[in-house]
Amino acid sequence: MVGYKFMGKAHSHAYKDVGMFFDLEAGVAMKAICGRDEQGVQEAAEKFGWESYETDWRKLVAREDIDFIDINAPSDAHKEIALAAIANGKHVFCEKPLALNLQDAREMLAAAEAAGVKHAICFNYRFLPAVQLAKKIIDSGKLGEIHHYRATYLQDWLVDPEAPLAWRLKKEVAGSGTHGDLNAHSIDLARFLIGEFDRVVGHSRTFVKERPLPVSTSGLSGTGSSEKGEVTVDDATGFLADFKNGAMGVFIASRFASGRKNGNTFEIHGSKGTIRWDLERLNELEVYFREDEPELAGFRKILATESVHKYAANWWPAGHIIGYEHGFVHIVYEFLQHMSTGSPFAPTFLDGVRCQEVLEAVDLSIERGTWVSVEEV
Amino acid sequence: MVGYKFMGKAHSHAYKDVGMFFDLEAGVAMKAICGRDEQGVQEAAEKFGWESYETDWRKLVAREDIDFIDINAPSDAHKEIALAAIANGKHVFCEKPLALNLQDAREMLAAAEAAGVKHAICFNYRFLPAVQLAKKIIDSGKLGEIHHYRATYLQDWLVDPEAPLAWRLKKEVAGSGTHGDLNAHSIDLARFLIGEFDRVVGHSRTFVKERPLPVSTSGLSGTGSSEKGEVTVDDATGFLADFKNGAMGVFIASRFASGRKNGNTFEIHGSKGTIRWDLERLNELEVYFREDEPELAGFRKILATESVHKYAANWWPAGHIIGYEHGFVHIVYEFLQHMSTGSPFAPTFLDGVRCQEVLEAVDLSIERGTWVSVEEV
Amino acid sequence: MVGYKFMGKAHSHAYKDVGMFFDLEAGVAMKAICGRDEQGVQEAAEKFGWESYETDWRKLVAREDIDFIDINAPSDAHKEIALAAIANGKHVFCEKPLALNLQDAREMLAAAEAAGVKHAICFNYRFLPAVQLAKKIIDSGKLGEIHHYRATYLQDWLVDPEAPLAWRLKKEVAGSGTHGDLNAHSIDLARFLIGEFDRVVGHSRTFVKERPLPVSTSGLSGTGSSEKGEVTVDDATGFLADFKNGAMGVFIASRFASGRKNGNTFEIHGSKGTIRWDLERLNELEVYFREDEPELAGFRKILATESVHKYAANWWPAGHIIGYEHGFVHIVYEFLQHMSTGSPFAPTFLDGVRCQEVLEAVDLSIERGTWVSVEEV
Amino acid sequence: MVGYKFMGKAHSHAYKDVGMFFDLEAGVAMKAICGRDEQGVQEAAEKFGWESYETDWRKLVAREDIDFIDINAPSDAHKEIALAAIANGKHVFCEKPLALNLQDAREMLAAAEAAGVKHAICFNYRFLPAVQLAKKIIDSGKLGEIHHYRATYLQDWLVDPEAPLAWRLKKEVAGSGTHGDLNAHSIDLARFLIGEFDRVVGHSRTFVKERPLPVSTSGLSGTGSSEKGEVTVDDATGFLADFKNGAMGVFIASRFASGRKNGNTFEIHGSKGTIRWDLERLNELEVYFREDEPELAGFRKILATESVHKYAANWWPAGHIIGYEHGFVHIVYEFLQHMSTGSPFAPTFLDGVRCQEVLEAVDLSIERGTWVSVEEV
């Protein structure tokens, strides 16, 4: 695994716990974790339970005792590491975004396909029980023809103008800001749930254009110095979408939504019903069915913790909720099974590319002030 | 008053009740109600408490015992009646939309201003206690600089393809569909709360293009015949907006949102906090303040029924909620006071015009596939 | 009508509006309102729309142009007025509690039955659409055998120790405190929904034993003087109950529940499902059905504003909520129909007596420190 | 560790993860797990990450490489194992209930104190961030004097009369039913949050008196055979309580509450505010402060995932919720620190005894039909 910060911790936890709650065809051995700062990575290795550590990812991807590489380093490093890992025949599990731009993402997909390795992009929210239930309901036809898709991904950690200029706010490292970080998740969920995008039109803002340079970083924010630097990514991006199936969509992402901590939501209206979900209450799915008796129809709040709900039986009895990190355990479980048994798996690098196409079409639409067809990018 | 259906009932109720709960400078006498169908209007007059009735609005607007005219007939009749009333020096209280198009609306405004009569457009939702509280919070600066405005107005009475072709679905009578009916309310609330629109871009759909011709009508739907007619208005319209104050906006209106019965909502993110409201729970306002102690900050669900909340003390003790029709009582109260004392009043025909400008800019943006400046229309 | 304060206003409103929204067999004429303070009652008569007023209820109950008497004066006056009205052959509609004690209540019932007049007690909450729906669901068997009934009625207007000593806090006028005012409603709803009580055991508190004597009163609270008087009723009373059908019950009423403004709630668990309701969101009923597909079972939030819901079609289209006072319109409608057509009606004085029995059994259980059978009182 | 089923899994997970997210003074080594069925315990050892296994707990408590024993076997085995472990000088971490009855529990406490070993009872819910926040708010005086405490613990896995007769339904193994399993948690939270009980009065039911004997068990329910056995514990128990500080309390526990999956809730009204919590949304705490500006007062929904909330910074950024099992990680963390550094720790066996006293006082009150002082048992 390359990377040992927020995502490194979430992924490590998944590898550590997956075997305890799921029956794996082949087990999982946590061979090595890699990071540039020796002290940091050594501590992480010990704390997270890795057998060894490396400070040079080139060494890591060359190790013979390693079958697959998990990449959760900052976004600008994804491509180079992934291509090297693929060249060595390793399977690759990559954090989103796949790359800094669409061209790089396509190159990675082509390399992985040519090499015949297994590849995954970590769109972890697909793997929450309530989201799986949403997918199942839609696929079963219970929602009918889809008319509307509305998504938000709202956080508020940048509302404070004194929040420092973290790497996620520099375009050259992060590739994109709120759009690439948050809308990426919403776009993937929309593709997963109702299908492909046709065209988009958007707008964006950088509300605070200069921020204190970071002194130390801890978590997402850290403390800032008195010197300031330019914010080179967006604070918020919203866009309208037409889907290929005729549905209307709208997507809003912001890091300036006071009080919304992790407001990754979707609401989908179909000819037979409606579905709503919110990551802040990730165990719940709200569903309305028009076919319910008129007097008794209403939004149902389904607590997706029953043994009949996907993955739920692997954890606790009904009503004992799971948390954010469980999505990583589930995606890791599915990818491990995929590698060892060839069971079907998505999202792959292809989904990373498709997501990137929508992101870039939105950027282009903002530049042009018009609708842009996703096929154009 | 001209009109005696859904809105006629709501307005009549307001005139009937306003004096019981509010201290009016001058009272209100319910002189006459007008409609084309003699039996219908006679029954309405009796049931709703009007002293007399007319079947020709020309006679009504000419009556000397009448000081002001309330117009809630179908939209295509608004202009002609209003101009005649104004010509006779009557004050005018008009249902939205002011007219079928912007040019007509502007003509009505000009006429009213030239004649010096008092004029109002019935954007009733401004006058709910929770909305008044939202306005007060924003004006006080407690929300800080406004970054985001999101509105929906969602209903579902057209999801059923067998719902008949009511007059609201014919462009020549209604002027517009979901956009003019529902987005109009959302646009007005946005203008009321955070100010003027700069530019917009939208999309719209007519999901069901033909519907059964209506046989009888009751309520919004009625029963349909086996013959079908063309739907000439939109079923759903969404648009992005930039506001003059720099805020980003998004507005979604639909009559195809299964399970949403009257989902008129807004959520406003400012640099200091957030406000949310939903007409289905119209007594409640959700507010988040960033300045609350970090450990204790959270969305507050304020039940706007305390005596300190506007209009609430005129009704019942705290916690005894009010309903939809109370907004009409409040707007009627304010307009009656305005006529008798000259107290400030909005929304006037000017607000009707401003709203119409945004509606038409959206229509133009849909036609062009680009952003359109509101000043352009 | 006798009484013109909070309840006088609510009842007057009901008589004023009922004919506008409901088809009455016989109309309703608001003949006279009665109160001891001439100026106050004169103003009320004018504002509320009564044809005349009286300052002596003896005159009122003797008037030949009056068919029925509505009593909403303070509780200690109910009995005397009711007996006089019954003696004159008037139908009687009485606010709860029927009387200051069980014996008086029984006397009133006996008198009304002997005279053959129609009688009603104003348990208005039975007549809200969501409560009617709850009743219908239970009666249909959809909830199965009832296992649990939990009710609260929570307010907070007495938490402030400086809130003055209003008449509702004097046992000699009000008869009882929180128990008689709030638990009375909860007991009636329980009887209406699931049937009769078998035995009870309770406890109660007067948290603030002395309060400032009232100077002026407005609403429930008013302002207090520097002199203090003794509070002679309970601030909070809770009790356990066994029902005759075997269900377990619990009832909690308090005026010291900070933040709960009008928290009249019930939750009923049956062998097939659960129902919940809260007066602060009185249009909504939450329902869970065990027979729903396991994967899709969840609490449904039913907005009881559809035309299929009782009384809803008399008001507005779906999603346009009603408020607190609508319950009075409905009960008045039913009682007017009952008087003119003989249609079935409850709650009558009998229900007032039954409710009083449970209230007094609880009081006795508190005195004794043991369970008390309701039949014993 | 003794036991490897539901609780065994939850505890094992805690030992496995605690070192990854918390800085332990001394680490933790998962030496051995113990169970009677060799195949089952061997599999559990491997899956959960234990170094070895035992099939005889006597061997386990005698092992010299083991410092402390975690007991989560069925309740009837707690006492014997604990006493043996204590006799060998091991620290003991015991699942609730401490023992089958109060006398046994007192014996265990006395033994632990005499031996000077560290002891804990696993009341895990104390250690959730939102519950810790509730405690902090109350201790700070922000809620003022406490007037009311209401708790429920509602599940529905026994509503189905065909649910088999699991060990939890046999008094001789489980000691108690719903009362001891669920009210125990509620009693502990009440003691933790507002203090000691004075007296209680209750009632209880066994709604389904005979159930199919279990064939195989999986999770809580499993499948049943056609033969039936007697249920010897309660399905539901409710009770009223007076607290020593003068507060009124009510506690309701049921396994027959359709739709409530894990409805462990409390609502606490104080003279300055109110707190509510629900285990099904365990990351949230609802709080109302009377000192908030009257116009802006409302229940705050605090998402206790900010870095300022206890334990939250050890996990993920704000808004990334945690689940049920995290409470075990936290209690295990605190007890490990307690053992290695002597840091303060509760709940100990003393809390187990206190809880048992209240449970038995309720049982006695049911037998007698009167209030029972907790000191009496």
Side-chain angles (χ1 to χ4, degrees):
Chain A
M1 186 166 89
V2 191
Y4 62 94
K5 293 293 176 65
F6 172 20
M7 278 304 126
K9 193 174 172 188
H11 290 214
S12 295
H13 172 267
Y15 296 120
K16 187 168 183 152
D17 273 21
V18 64
M20 176 166 177
F21 294 94
F22 290 83
D23 292 319
L24 293 169
E25 189 63 25
V28 53
M30 295 170 70
K31 286 294 175 185
I33 188 169
C34 176
R36 277 167 299 189
D37 171 31
E38 179 153 9
Q39 198 194 329
V41 73
Q42 183 175 7
E43 280 171 22
E46 197 175 323
K47 214 165 169 60
F48 300 172
W50 293 90
E51 295 175 15
S52 63
Y53 68 89
E54 301 284 353
T55 55
D56 179 354
W57 60 258
R58 281 171 190 84
K59 280 198 190 154
L60 185 83
V61 299
R63 277 175 58 166
E64 302 234 323
D65 62 336
I66 287 176
D67 294 323
F68 93 97
I69 300 287
D70 177 320
I71 305 169
N72 56 70
S75 311
D76 59 340
H78 288 187
K79 180 186 167 188
E80 203 180 1
I81 303 173
L83 291 181
I86 291 166
N88 290 343
K90 312 294 190 201
H91 305 306
V92 182
F93 182 88
C94 188
E95 253 305 322
K96 37 97 7 199
L98 209 47
L100 292 189
N101 58 59
L102 181 54
Q103 191 177 322
D104 285 0
R106 284 177 176 156
E107 205 176 315
M108 290 163 72
L109 169 62
E113 287 185 339
V117 301
K118 308 288 191 191
H119 44 102
I121 183 165
C122 187
F123 285 125
N124 49 308
Y125 298 129
R126 290 191 182 199
F127 296 87
L128 293 168
V131 175
Q132 289 283 324
L133 179 59
K135 171 73 170 165
K136 187 172 173 185
I137 290 170
I138 294 168
D139 287 354
S140 74
K142 277 199 167 74
L143 229 54
E145 190 186 335
I146 304 302
H147 294 312
H148 293 284
Y149 193 99
R150 289 198 309 282
T152 65
Y153 204 143
L154 303 173
Q155 300 182 337
D156 69 357
W157 55 284
L158 288 183
V159 181
D160 181 355
E162 295 308 310
L165 194 64
W167 70 262
R168 283 174 187 265
L169 306 188
K170 302 301 292 180
K171 192 175 176 57
E172 55 277 24
V173 185
S176 175
T178 301
H179 187 45
D181 187 25
L182 303 184
N183 273 334
H185 277 299
S186 297
I187 290 166
D188 183 67
L189 284 177
R191 290 185 58 254
F192 175 58
L193 291 169
I194 71 160
E196 299 298 338
F197 288 70
D198 181 8
R199 57 171 203 155
V200 292
V201 63
H203 58 164
S204 75
R205 291 284 191 290
T206 304
F207 293 112
V208 172
K209 294 185 171 47
E210 290 203 320
R211 290 183 176 275
L213 294 174
V215 176
S216 75
T217 51
S218 107
L220 292 173
S221 41
T223 16
S225 75
S226 60
E227 242 181 304
K228 294 205 167 186
E230 198 192 348
V231 176
T232 49
V233 299
D234 60 300
D235 288 332
T237 294
F239 66 95
L240 301 177
D242 288 343
F243 284 88
K244 291 205 165 159
N245 65 7
M248 302 170 79
V250 59
F251 295 77
I252 309 290
S254 178
R255 291 165 174 163
F256 270 70
S258 296
R260 298 283 164 219
K261 302 304 174 178
N262 211 10
N264 178 1
T265 74
F266 56 76
E267 178 158 350
I268 310 172
H269 302 296
S271 57
K272 293 186 180 172
T274 286
I275 284 184
R276 293 176 67 201
W277 180 77
D278 182 348
L279 180 59
E280 292 185 5
R281 287 176 172 174
L282 63 86
N283 294 273
E284 303 175 12
L285 190 72
E286 287 189 78
V287 185
Y288 181 94
F289 293 122
R290 285 187 60 235
E291 72 181 14
D292 278 344
E293 215 176 318
E295 207 166 14
L296 300 176
F299 274 91
R300 302 179 187 190
K301 194 202 79 177
I302 303 169
L303 196 55
T305 59
E306 301 291 314
S307 58
V308 289
H309 294 125
K310 194 149 189 193
Y311 306 126
N314 293 86
W315 299 99
W316 316 108
H320 294 70
I321 69 170
I322 61 169
Y324 161 73
E325 76 261 33
H326 295 70
F328 291 97
V329 179
H330 302 162
I331 189 173
V332 154
Y333 163 68
E334 296 289 358
F335 191 58
L336 291 170
Q337 291 294 85
H338 173 57
M339 287 189 293
S340 55
T341 71
S343 59
F345 180 84
T348 66
F349 281 13
L350 178 61
D351 298 283
V353 166
R354 288 277 174 273
C355 178
Q356 195 75 25
E357 286 169 356
V358 179
L359 289 168
E360 295 204 2
V362 172
D363 285 336
L364 190 58
S365 85
I366 293 170
E367 207 182 300
R368 289 190 190 163
T370 65
W371 286 86
V372 167
S373 165
V374 174
E375 280 171 14
E376 196 184 325
V377 297
Chain B
M1 188 166 88
V2 191
Y4 62 92
K5 293 294 176 63
F6 172 19
M7 279 303 125
K9 193 175 172 188
H11 291 214
S12 295
H13 172 266
Y15 296 121
K16 186 167 183 155
D17 273 20
V18 63
M20 177 166 177
F21 294 94
F22 289 84
D23 292 318
L24 293 169
E25 189 63 27
V28 54
M30 294 169 69
K31 286 295 177 184
I33 188 170
C34 176
R36 276 167 300 189
D37 171 33
E38 179 153 10
Q39 197 194 330
V41 74
Q42 184 174 6
E43 278 171 23
E46 198 174 322
K47 212 161 170 60
F48 300 172
W50 294 90
E51 295 175 16
S52 65
Y53 69 89
E54 300 284 353
T55 56
D56 179 354
W57 60 260
R58 281 171 191 83
K59 280 198 190 153
L60 185 85
V61 300
R63 277 175 58 166
E64 302 233 324
D65 61 337
I66 287 177
D67 294 323
F68 93 98
I69 301 286
D70 177 318
I71 305 169
N72 55 70
S75 311
D76 59 339
H78 288 188
K79 179 186 168 187
E80 203 181 1
I81 303 173
L83 291 181
I86 291 166
N88 289 345
K90 312 295 190 201
H91 305 306
V92 181
F93 182 88
C94 188
E95 253 305 323
K96 38 100 1 200
L98 209 48
L100 292 190
N101 57 60
L102 180 54
Q103 191 177 321
D104 285 359
R106 284 177 176 156
E107 206 176 314
M108 289 163 73
L109 170 61
E113 286 185 339
V117 300
K118 309 288 191 191
H119 45 100
I121 182 165
C122 187
F123 285 126
N124 50 308
Y125 297 129
R126 290 191 182 199
F127 296 87
L128 293 169
V131 175
Q132 289 283 323
L133 178 58
K135 170 75 170 163
K136 187 172 172 185
I137 291 169
I138 294 168
D139 287 355
S140 74
K142 278 199 167 74
L143 229 54
E145 190 187 335
I146 304 302
H147 294 313
H148 292 285
Y149 192 99
R150 290 198 308 283
T152 65
Y153 203 143
L154 303 173
Q155 301 183 336
D156 69 357
W157 54 284
L158 288 184
V159 181
D160 181 355
E162 295 307 310
L165 194 63
W167 71 261
R168 283 174 187 265
L169 305 188
K170 301 300 292 179
K171 191 175 178 58
E172 55 276 23
V173 186
S176 174
T178 301
H179 187 45
D181 186 25
L182 303 184
N183 273 333
H185 277 299
S186 296
I187 290 166
D188 183 67
L189 284 177
R191 290 186 58 253
F192 175 58
L193 292 169
I194 71 159
E196 299 298 340
F197 287 71
D198 182 8
R199 57 171 204 155
V200 292
V201 63
H203 58 165
S204 74
R205 290 285 190 289
T206 303
F207 293 112
V208 172
K209 294 185 171 50
E210 290 203 321
R211 290 183 176 276
L213 294 173
V215 176
S216 76
T217 52
S218 108
L220 293 173
S221 42
T223 16
S225 74
S226 60
E227 244 180 303
K228 294 204 167 185
E230 198 194 347
V231 176
T232 49
V233 299
D234 60 301
D235 288 331
T237 293
F239 66 95
L240 301 178
D242 288 342
F243 285 87
K244 290 204 165 159
N245 65 7
M248 302 169 80
V250 59
F251 295 77
I252 309 291
S254 178
R255 290 164 174 164
F256 271 69
S258 296
R260 299 283 163 217
K261 303 303 175 179
N262 211 10
N264 177 2
T265 74
F266 56 76
E267 178 158 350
I268 310 171
H269 301 295
S271 57
K272 293 186 179 173
T274 286
I275 283 184
R276 292 176 68 200
W277 180 76
D278 182 348
L279 180 59
E280 292 185 5
R281 287 176 171 174
L282 63 86
N283 295 273
E284 302 175 13
L285 190 72
E286 287 189 78
V287 185
Y288 181 94
F289 293 123
R290 285 188 58 236
E291 71 181 15
D292 278 343
E293 214 175 319
E295 207 166 13
L296 301 175
F299 274 91
R300 302 179 187 191
K301 193 202 79 178
I302 303 169
L303 196 55
T305 58
E306 301 290 313
S307 58
V308 290
H309 293 126
K310 194 150 189 190
Y311 307 126
N314 293 85
W315 298 99
W316 317 108
H320 295 69
I321 69 169
I322 62 169
Y324 161 74
E325 75 261 33
H326 294 72
F328 291 98
V329 179
H330 302 163
I331 189 173
V332 154
Y333 163 68
E334 296 289 358
F335 191 59
L336 290 171
Q337 291 294 87
H338 173 58
M339 287 190 292
S340 55
T341 71
S343 59
F345 180 84
T348 66
F349 281 13
L350 178 61
D351 297 284
V353 167
R354 288 277 174 273
C355 178
Q356 196 75 26
E357 286 170 357
V358 179
L359 288 168
E360 296 204 4
V362 172
D363 284 336
L364 190 58
S365 85
I366 293 170
E367 209 181 300
R368 288 189 189 164
T370 65
W371 286 86
V372 167
S373 165
V374 174
E375 279 170 16
E376 196 184 326
V377 298
Chain C
M1 186 166 89
V2 192
Y4 62 93
K5 293 292 174 67
F6 172 20
M7 278 304 125
K9 194 176 171 187
H11 291 213
S12 295
H13 173 266
Y15 297 121
K16 187 168 184 156
D17 273 22
V18 63
M20 178 165 176
F21 294 93
F22 289 84
D23 292 319
L24 294 169
E25 190 63 26
V28 54
M30 295 169 68
K31 286 294 177 186
I33 188 170
C34 176
R36 277 167 299 189
D37 171 32
E38 179 154 10
Q39 197 193 331
V41 73
Q42 183 174 7
E43 278 171 22
E46 198 174 322
K47 214 162 168 61
F48 300 171
W50 294 89
E51 294 175 18
S52 63
Y53 69 90
E54 300 284 354
T55 55
D56 179 354
W57 60 260
R58 282 170 191 82
K59 279 198 192 154
L60 185 85
V61 299
R63 276 175 59 165
E64 303 233 322
D65 61 337
I66 286 177
D67 295 324
F68 93 98
I69 300 287
D70 176 320
I71 305 169
N72 56 71
S75 311
D76 59 340
H78 288 188
K79 179 186 169 189
E80 202 180 1
I81 303 172
L83 291 181
I86 290 166
N88 289 343
K90 312 295 189 200
H91 305 305
V92 182
F93 182 89
C94 187
E95 252 306 321
K96 35 101 4 201
L98 209 47
L100 293 189
N101 57 60
L102 181 54
Q103 190 178 322
D104 286 359
R106 284 177 176 156
E107 205 175 313
M108 289 163 73
L109 170 62
E113 285 184 341
V117 301
K118 309 288 190 192
H119 45 101
I121 182 164
C122 187
F123 285 126
N124 50 308
Y125 298 130
R126 289 192 183 198
F127 296 88
L128 293 169
V131 176
Q132 289 283 325
L133 179 58
K135 171 74 169 163
K136 188 172 172 186
I137 290 169
I138 293 168
D139 287 355
S140 74
K142 278 199 167 72
L143 229 55
E145 190 187 335
I146 304 301
H147 294 311
H148 293 285
Y149 193 98
R150 290 199 308 281
T152 66
Y153 203 143
L154 303 173
Q155 301 182 336
D156 69 357
W157 56 283
L158 288 184
V159 181
D160 181 356
E162 295 308 310
L165 195 64
W167 70 261
R168 284 174 187 266
L169 305 189
K170 301 300 292 178
K171 192 173 176 59
E172 56 275 24
V173 186
S176 173
T178 300
H179 187 46
D181 186 26
L182 304 184
N183 273 334
H185 277 299
S186 297
I187 290 166
D188 182 67
L189 285 178
R191 289 185 59 253
F192 175 58
L193 292 169
I194 71 159
E196 298 299 340
F197 287 70
D198 181 9
R199 58 172 203 154
V200 293
V201 64
H203 59 164
S204 75
R205 291 283 190 291
T206 303
F207 293 112
V208 172
K209 295 187 170 47
E210 290 203 321
R211 291 183 176 276
L213 294 174
V215 177
S216 75
T217 52
S218 110
L220 293 173
S221 41
T223 17
S225 75
S226 59
E227 243 180 303
K228 293 206 167 184
E230 197 192 348
V231 176
T232 49
V233 299
D234 60 303
D235 288 332
T237 293
F239 65 95
L240 300 178
D242 287 343
F243 286 87
K244 292 205 164 159
N245 65 7
M248 303 170 80
V250 59
F251 295 77
I252 309 291
S254 179
R255 291 164 174 164
F256 270 69
S258 296
R260 298 283 162 218
K261 303 303 173 177
N262 211 9
N264 178 0
T265 74
F266 56 74
E267 178 157 351
I268 310 170
H269 301 297
S271 58
K272 293 187 180 172
T274 286
I275 283 184
R276 295 175 67 199
W277 179 77
D278 182 348
L279 180 59
E280 292 185 6
R281 287 177 172 172
L282 63 86
N283 294 272
E284 302 175 13
L285 190 73
E286 287 189 78
V287 185
Y288 181 94
F289 292 122
R290 285 187 59 236
E291 70 181 14
D292 278 342
E293 213 176 319
E295 205 167 15
L296 300 176
F299 275 91
R300 302 179 187 191
K301 194 201 79 179
I302 302 170
L303 195 56
T305 59
E306 300 290 314
S307 57
V308 290
H309 294 125
K310 195 151 188 191
Y311 306 125
N314 292 85
W315 298 99
W316 316 109
H320 295 69
I321 69 170
I322 62 170
Y324 162 72
E325 75 260 35
H326 294 72
F328 291 97
V329 180
H330 302 162
I331 190 174
V332 154
Y333 163 69
E334 296 289 358
F335 191 59
L336 290 171
Q337 292 293 87
H338 174 58
M339 288 190 292
S340 54
T341 72
S343 58
F345 179 85
T348 67
F349 281 13
L350 178 61
D351 298 282
V353 167
R354 288 277 173 273
C355 179
Q356 196 74 26
E357 287 169 356
V358 179
L359 289 168
E360 296 204 4
V362 172
D363 285 336
L364 190 59
S365 84
I366 293 171
E367 210 180 299
R368 290 190 189 164
T370 64
W371 285 87
V372 167
S373 164
V374 174
E375 279 170 17
E376 198 185 323
V377 297
Chain D
M1 187 167 90
V2 191
Y4 62 94
K5 293 293 176 65
F6 172 19
M7 278 304 125
K9 193 174 170 188
H11 290 214
S12 296
H13 173 266
Y15 297 120
K16 186 168 184 153
D17 273 20
V18 64
M20 177 165 177
F21 294 95
F22 289 83
D23 292 319
L24 293 169
E25 191 62 26
V28 54
M30 294 169 70
K31 286 293 177 187
I33 187 169
C34 176
R36 278 168 297 190
D37 172 31
E38 178 154 10
Q39 198 195 329
V41 72
Q42 182 174 7
E43 278 171 22
E46 196 174 324
K47 214 165 168 61
F48 301 172
W50 293 89
E51 294 174 17
S52 63
Y53 69 89
E54 301 282 354
T55 55
D56 180 356
W57 60 260
R58 282 170 190 83
K59 279 198 191 155
L60 186 84
V61 300
R63 277 174 58 165
E64 304 234 321
D65 61 337
I66 287 177
D67 294 323
F68 92 98
I69 300 287
D70 176 319
I71 305 169
N72 56 70
S75 312
D76 59 341
H78 288 189
K79 180 187 168 188
E80 202 180 0
I81 303 173
L83 292 181
I86 290 166
N88 289 344
K90 312 295 189 199
H91 305 306
V92 182
F93 182 88
C94 186
E95 252 306 321
K96 34 95 15 193
L98 209 47
L100 291 189
N101 58 59
L102 181 54
Q103 191 177 321
D104 285 358
R106 284 177 176 155
E107 205 176 316
M108 289 164 72
L109 169 62
E113 285 184 342
V117 301
K118 308 289 191 191
H119 44 100
I121 182 165
C122 187
F123 286 126
N124 50 307
Y125 297 130
R126 290 191 182 199
F127 296 88
L128 292 169
V131 175
Q132 289 283 325
L133 178 59
K135 171 73 170 163
K136 187 172 174 186
I137 291 170
I138 293 168
D139 287 354
S140 74
K142 277 200 166 73
L143 229 55
E145 190 186 335
I146 304 302
H147 294 312
H148 292 285
Y149 193 99
R150 290 199 307 282
T152 66
Y153 203 143
L154 304 173
Q155 300 182 336
D156 70 356
W157 55 284
L158 288 184
V159 181
D160 181 355
E162 295 308 310
L165 194 62
W167 69 261
R168 285 174 186 266
L169 306 187
K170 301 302 290 179
K171 192 175 176 58
E172 56 276 24
V173 186
S176 173
T178 300
H179 188 45
D181 185 26
L182 303 184
N183 273 334
H185 278 298
S186 297
I187 290 165
D188 182 68
L189 284 177
R191 290 186 58 255
F192 175 59
L193 292 170
I194 71 159
E196 298 298 339
F197 287 71
D198 181 8
R199 58 172 203 154
V200 292
V201 64
H203 58 165
S204 74
R205 291 282 190 292
T206 304
F207 294 111
V208 172
K209 294 185 171 50
E210 290 203 322
R211 290 183 177 277
L213 295 173
V215 176
S216 75
T217 51
S218 108
L220 294 173
S221 40
T223 17
S225 75
S226 58
E227 244 180 302
K228 293 203 168 187
E230 198 193 348
V231 176
T232 49
V233 299
D234 61 303
D235 288 331
T237 293
F239 66 95
L240 300 179
D242 287 343
F243 285 87
K244 292 205 164 159
N245 65 6
M248 303 170 79
V250 58
F251 295 76
I252 309 291
S254 179
R255 291 165 174 162
F256 270 69
S258 296
R260 298 283 163 218
K261 302 303 172 177
N262 210 11
N264 177 0
T265 74
F266 56 75
E267 178 157 351
I268 310 170
H269 301 297
S271 58
K272 293 186 179 172
T274 286
I275 283 184
R276 293 175 68 200
W277 179 76
D278 182 347
L279 180 59
E280 292 186 7
R281 288 177 172 172
L282 63 86
N283 295 272
E284 302 175 14
L285 190 73
E286 287 190 78
V287 185
Y288 181 94
F289 293 123
R290 285 188 59 236
E291 71 181 14
D292 278 343
E293 214 176 318
E295 207 168 13
L296 300 176
F299 274 91
R300 302 179 187 191
K301 194 202 78 179
I302 302 170
L303 196 56
T305 58
E306 300 290 314
S307 57
V308 290
H309 294 125
K310 194 148 188 192
Y311 307 125
N314 292 85
W315 298 100
W316 316 109
H320 294 70
I321 69 171
I322 61 170
Y324 161 73
E325 75 261 34
H326 295 71
F328 291 96
V329 179
H330 302 163
I331 190 173
V332 155
Y333 163 69
E334 297 289 359
F335 191 59
L336 290 171
Q337 291 294 87
H338 174 57
M339 288 190 291
S340 54
T341 72
S343 58
F345 180 85
T348 66
F349 281 12
L350 178 61
D351 298 283
V353 167
R354 288 276 173 274
C355 178
Q356 196 75 26
E357 286 169 356
V358 180
L359 289 168
E360 295 204 3
V362 172
D363 284 336
L364 190 59
S365 84
I366 293 170
E367 209 181 298
R368 290 190 190 162
T370 64
W371 286 87
V372 168
S373 165
V374 174
E375 280 171 16
E376 196 183 325
V377 296

